[in-house]
């Protein structure tokens, strides 16, 4: 076999390997595109989930803050007293944070 025939045989082998590997390469490209699309979708879902978590965290924080503030506000105070010796009755009333409107 001459050098030219050896080179041609080698080139034919390289072309044959390329043809055999082409379907595998195409499938790999398709799978990588699919994985990239899935990762992009998940990134979008994580972004939405993080925004929803922040909003709910802030809402729960505001509710707890309202409970704490409400606990420290002045309540409605009602006091009734009666003095039997002087035959008098007293009533004291002070409006606070929990009065009815």
């Amino acid at each position: 076999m001459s050098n030219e025939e050896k080179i041609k045989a080698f080139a034919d082998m390289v072309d044959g390997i390329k043809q055999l590997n082409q379907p595998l390469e195409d499938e790999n490209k398709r799978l990588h595109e699919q994985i990239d699309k899935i990762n992009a979708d998940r990134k979008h879902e994580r972004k939405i989930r993080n925004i929803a978590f922040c909003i709910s965290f802030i809402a729960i924080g505001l509710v707890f803050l309202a409970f704490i503030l409400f606990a420290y506000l002045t309540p409605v105070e009602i006091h009734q007293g009666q003095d039997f010796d002087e035959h008098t009755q007293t009533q004291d009333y002070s409006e606070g944070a929990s009065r009815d409107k």
Side-chain angles (χ1 to χ4, degrees):
M1 215 195 277
S2 70
N3 285 341
E4 286 183 23
E5 291 174 348
K6 288 179 184 178
I7 293 171
K8 180 151 176 43
F10 183 75
D12 289 341
M13 284 190 299
V14 170
D15 289 340
I17 290 172
K18 283 183 181 180
Q19 288 176 356
L20 287 173
N21 285 338
Q22 191 62 40
L24 183 62
E25 288 178 14
D26 293 342
E27 182 68 12
N28 281 340
K29 286 179 185 177
R30 186 189 67 79
L31 289 174
H32 279 286
E33 289 172 359
Q34 185 178 4
I35 289 170
D36 291 342
K37 183 181 180 298
I38 289 171
N39 287 339
D41 291 344
R42 285 186 180 164
K43 184 178 180 182
H44 181 68
E45 290 172 2
R46 281 192 303 268
K47 185 177 181 181
I48 291 173
R49 192 178 314 131
N50 288 341
I51 291 171
F53 176 75
C54 289
I55 290 172
S56 64
F57 186 76
I58 290 170
I60 290 171
L62 290 175
V63 168
F64 282 136
L65 180 65
F67 283 142
I68 291 170
L69 290 176
F70 190 71
Y72 285 103
L73 291 175
T74 307
V76 172
E77 293 182 10
I78 299 174
H79 175 71
Q80 291 183 334
Q82 189 171 15
D83 189 359
F84 290 112
D85 295 333
E86 296 182 14
H87 303 292
T88 58
Q89 292 181 345
T90 58
Q91 290 183 343
D92 293 327
Y93 174 79
S94 68
E95 289 188 6
S98 59
R99 69 179 185 277
D100 293 331
K101 291 184 179 184

